[in-house]
């Protein structure tokens, strides 16, 4: 590696004295060698285990020959859409084409195709008929079985079938990808590698599938929304690495897609090892002129943990990283901070220390380390579990150590925090230090809604919990004599939310004198309970019916109510208020007086007078 990076073209491969790479990693992202990018982690892990990897970043999908840059790899192709799902990357919730792509040169759109994993695999198959293809990353992981696809409004098959790939390495794939590589290197055929945790395979021999739950057949879930919801519930109950069963579904009575149980979480030492690999921590020099916008968001940030036991219904983390927290040691985090500090562009500010949820640095309870997360019980919802250990002491220790480093002016926390977890901690040191040292005027938190009915369907605690947190936040800031504010993230049109709920939201926003600059409309993406609700009209966890706002005009009204003070939303807000017979709020929200009741008799008299004239 003359320039420290993995080879990105044939010339660099030759400079690295690689005649034939073990793997070619095809990615929908530009090549950024940083541990916030899945491509970098998987490639560096393979390199650590003695395998050579070349990176084919954003091949020209209009040119089939672009896939042949490095020739046929010795062991196989690895394929990912990149850090983001390509469809989410390309389209807004209104299915309008986005104008930028932060993971591409200069933020330009068009470097990757829609459904990137399928397109790249089909390109490979045209050139290399029998070369093993292993797919991974978010796009492949969340489409590993039959799934609802919002963009086509249909049930699609497992991506394993539509892509023509051989294996899916789902979730965080450090363990499974090494086992796959070693199996291929030992001489096993790819169709013989059926046993690895954290993988999905296909077979025509049902008798070879053991100790497994058979899901409803693909044709059944296509025809019945209720059956789809029931199938999803079984999948949801089998996402834990310690308790999950093998699952499989049938296609055409002769083809079976088999999901092996998830890989076991990494322990602290293994996590430290992953983040100690020799990343260059920047985009490949080939992009120096145009730049990759995404790197600016994470260049001076540190990932301290993975997983989330918050398990919100609209989030896919349960299906991707799981509920068991995996965290790094303080020493590992400090070492990465020192690398950040030595960067010539470092100005004294560490932008973030966190993960999916910043303040989760340990499993929810000690039981999870042995038995995994509970199948039918949540750690924080509807109330914190009696076994929950709410403890911020390790996180506080890490933050204090970071603040003490030379040249560090401030350490921000920009990942989300769980305010219900903060309240569950009997020691309030974390919230005090958060307010004192780690925010600058505003703290963004995510109550998501104000209606308890909607929050219940989101898997979030009652709104009273948020109000209690807001009160405590205010008291602490008064005590430390700082003027700081909460900025709530809120969501419109989540399953269960109607116009009445949106009006509640508008009234709350008015009461705190806040108008959100941006509004998040619920986005149905694969792998979430809420997406299943959106498509089926059932809550798969209870099988109770759920109201779903699908009409674009109603969704627009819900969105407008969250920004009721904007002039361009005035008509929609007024229409929503009238539809809900809440004309009494016209003045409160729009400074418009309530309509006076019309006197029908007077109107008739005036009409008759006009006729006589």
């Amino acid at each position: 590696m003359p320039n420290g990076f993995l080879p990105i073209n044939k010339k660099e491969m030759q400079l690295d004295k690689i005649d034939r790479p073990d793997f070619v990693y095809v990615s929908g992202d530009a090549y950024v060698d940083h541990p916030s990018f899945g491509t970098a982690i998987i490639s560096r892990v393979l390199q650590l285990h003695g395998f050579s990897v070349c990176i084919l970043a954003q091949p020209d999908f209009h040119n089939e020959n672009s896939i042949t840059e490095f020739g046929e790899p010795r062991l196989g192709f690895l394929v990912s859409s990149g850090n983001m799902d390509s469809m989410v990357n390309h389209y807004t919730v209104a299915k309008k084409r986005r104008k930028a792509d932060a993971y591409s040169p200069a933020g330009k759109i068009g470097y990757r195709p829609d459904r990137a994993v399928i397109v790249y695999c089909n390109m490979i198959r045209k050139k290399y008929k029998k070369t093993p293809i292993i797919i991974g990353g978010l796009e492949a992981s969340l489409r590993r079985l039959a799934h609802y696809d919002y963009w086509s409004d249909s049930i699609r098959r497992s991506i394993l079938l539509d892509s023509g790939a051989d294996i899916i390495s789902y979730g965080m794939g450090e363990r499974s990808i090494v086992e796959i590589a070693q199996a291929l290197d030992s001489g096993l055929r790819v169709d013989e590698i059926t046993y690895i945790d954290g993988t999905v395979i296909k077979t025509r021999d049902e008798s070879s599938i053991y100790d497994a739950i058979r899901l409803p057949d693909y044709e059944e879930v296509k025809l019945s929304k209720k059956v789809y919801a029931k199938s999803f519930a079984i999948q949801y109950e089998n996402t834990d690495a310690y308790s999950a069963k093998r699952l499989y579904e049938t296609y055409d009575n002769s083809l079976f897609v088999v999901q092996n149980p998830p890989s076991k979480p990494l322990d602290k030492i293994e996590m430290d090892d992953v983040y100690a690999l020799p990343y260059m921590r920047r985009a490949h020099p080939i992009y120096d002129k145009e730049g990759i916008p995404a790197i600016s968001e994470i260049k001076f940030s540190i990932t301290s943990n993975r997983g989330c036991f918050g398990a919100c219904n609209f989030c896919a983390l349960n299906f991707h990283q799981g509920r068991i927290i995996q965290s790094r040691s303080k020493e590992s985090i400090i070492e990465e901070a020192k690398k950040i500090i030595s960067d010539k562009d470092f100005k004294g500010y560490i932008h973030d220390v966190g993960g999916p949820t910043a303040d989760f640095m340990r499993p929810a309870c000690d039981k999870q380390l042995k038995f995994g997360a509970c199948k039918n019980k949540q750690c924080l919802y509807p109330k914190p579990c009696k076994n929950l250990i709410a403890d911020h002491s390790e996180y506080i220790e890490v933050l204090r150590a970071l603040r003490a480093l030379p040249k560090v002016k401030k350490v921000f926390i920009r990942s989300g925090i769980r305010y219900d977890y903060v309240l569950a901690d009997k020691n309030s040191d974390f919230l005090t230090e958060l307010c004192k040292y780690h925010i600058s005027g505003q703290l963004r938190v995510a109550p998501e809604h104000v209606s308890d009915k909607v929050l219940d369907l989101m898997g979030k605690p009652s709104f009273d919990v948020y109000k209690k947190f807001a009160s405590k936040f205010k008291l602490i800031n008064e005590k430390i004599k700082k003027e700081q504010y909460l900025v709530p993230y809120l969501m419109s049109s989540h399953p269960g939310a109607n116009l009445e709920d949106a009006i509640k939201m508008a009234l709350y926003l008015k009461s705190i004198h806040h108008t959100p600059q941006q509004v998040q409309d619920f986005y149905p993406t694969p792998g979430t309970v809420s997406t299943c609700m959106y498509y089926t009209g059932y809550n798969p966890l209870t099988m109770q019916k759920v109201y779903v706002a699908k009409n674009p005009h109603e969704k627009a009204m819900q969105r407008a109510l969250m920004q009721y003070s904007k002039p361009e939303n005035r008509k929609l807000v007024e229409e929503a208020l009238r539809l809900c017979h809440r004309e009494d709020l016209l003045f409160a929200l729009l400074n418009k007086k309530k309509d006076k009741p019309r006197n029908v008799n007077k109107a008739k008299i005036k009409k008759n007078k006009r006729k006589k004239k």
Side-chain angles (χ1 to χ4, degrees), residues 317-331:
L317 270 165
N318 193 44
F319 271 72
H320 191 60
Q321 291 189 2
R323 287 168 55 191
I324 297 175
I325 301 302
Q326 304 153 70
S327 62
R328 297 165 62 187
S329 68
K330 181 180 78 172
E331 292 74 21

Side-chain angles (χ1 to χ4, degrees), residues 199-414:
T199 64
V200 180
I201 58 98
K202 55 193 174 186
T203 180
R204 293 195 177 275
D205 180 11
E206 188 174 10
S207 66
S208 68
I209 306 167
Y210 59 96
D211 191 23
I213 297 172
R214 179 169 175 162
L215 297 170
D217 296 354
Y218 172 66
E219 292 301 327
E220 289 183 79
V221 298
K222 255 180 80 174
L223 293 172
S224 170
K225 291 183 177 181
K226 200 165 191 176
V227 172
Y228 178 84
K230 288 178 179 178
S231 178
F232 184 90
I234 296 169
Q235 295 171 47
Y236 183 82
E237 289 169 2
N238 287 276
T239 54
D240 182 78
Y242 292 90
S243 62
K245 299 283 283 184
R246 186 171 286 101
L247 306 176
Y248 73 103
E249 61 188 9
T250 309
Y251 293 82
D252 303 326
N253 295 317
S254 61
L255 181 60
F256 307 94
V257 172
V258 185
Q259 174 183 299
N260 289 311
S263 291
K264 295 292 188 292
L266 301 181
D267 62 29
K268 205 175 283 287
I269 293 172
E270 290 169 321
M271 279 281 283
D272 288 355
D273 287 345
V274 166
Y275 286 88
L277 293 171
Y279 307 101
M280 297 303 293
R281 304 189 61 82
R282 60 183 291 262
H284 189 280
I286 199 170
Y287 308 114
D288 281 353
K289 187 176 179 181
E290 294 180 292
I292 308 298
I295 190 68
S296 63
E297 296 296 318
I298 49 85
K299 188 175 182 182
F300 302 121
S301 297
I302 300 172
T303 299
S304 57
N305 65 69
R306 288 181 185 172
C308 181
F309 54 76
C312 299
N313 286 340
F314 49 80
C315 179
L317 270 165
N318 193 44
F319 271 72
H320 191 60
Q321 291 189 2
R323 287 168 55 191
I324 297 175
I325 301 302
Q326 304 153 70
S327 62
R328 297 165 62 187
S329 68
K330 181 180 78 172
E331 292 74 21
S332 169
I333 292 168
I334 296 302
E335 278 305 305
E336 184 170 355
K338 288 176 180 177
K339 291 175 186 174
I340 287 173
I341 291 166
S342 67
D343 190 289
K344 61 181 177 60
D345 296 323
F346 182 67
K347 306 296 183 187
Y349 301 98
I350 294 175
H351 294 166
D352 189 26
V353 184
T357 301
D359 53 328
F360 288 174
M361 286 290 284
R362 53 155 293 130
C365 67
D366 292 336
K367 169 182 162 293
Q368 287 187 351
L369 295 171
K370 189 174 181 181
F371 302 105
C374 297
K375 259 191 180 184
N376 300 306
K377 192 177 179 183
Q378 299 290 356
C379 305
L380 286 168
Y381 165 81
K383 292 181 179 178
C385 173
K386 64 180 181 181
N387 296 318
L388 177 75
I389 300 171
D391 181 7
H392 289 84
S393 58
E394 186 178 351
Y395 193 36
I396 291 171
E397 193 179 329
V398 166
L399 293 170
R400 286 174 179 170
L402 289 170
R403 293 201 307 265
L405 289 173
K407 299 182 182 179
V408 172
K409 297 176 184 175
K410 190 155 183 120
V411 179
F412 288 103
I413 297 174
R414 287 178 176 160

Side-chain angles (χ1 to χ4, degrees), residues 80-146:
S80 165
S81 69
N83 267 20
M84 280 186 73
D85 183 293
S86 61
M87 298 304 284
V88 177
N89 180 278
H90 285 171
Y91 299 98
T92 68
V93 66
K95 300 182 183 178
K96 292 181 179 176
R97 191 81 172 175
R98 296 192 195 273
K99 295 178 181 176
D101 178 353
Y103 295 91
S104 292
K108 293 175 185 174
I109 205 83
Y111 279 90
R112 84 184 82 213
D114 287 356
R115 307 192 190 281
V117 170
I118 294 173
V119 172
Y120 293 149
C121 288
N122 289 339
M123 289 170 69
I124 293 166
R125 275 287 170 257
K126 285 181 181 178
K127 296 292 180 179
Y128 307 105
K129 303 294 183 187
K130 295 182 180 180
T131 309
I133 302 176
I134 299 95
I135 59 177
L138 201 65
E139 182 164 308
S141 289
L142 301 183
R143 291 169 168 79
R144 56 189 184 254
L145 295 170

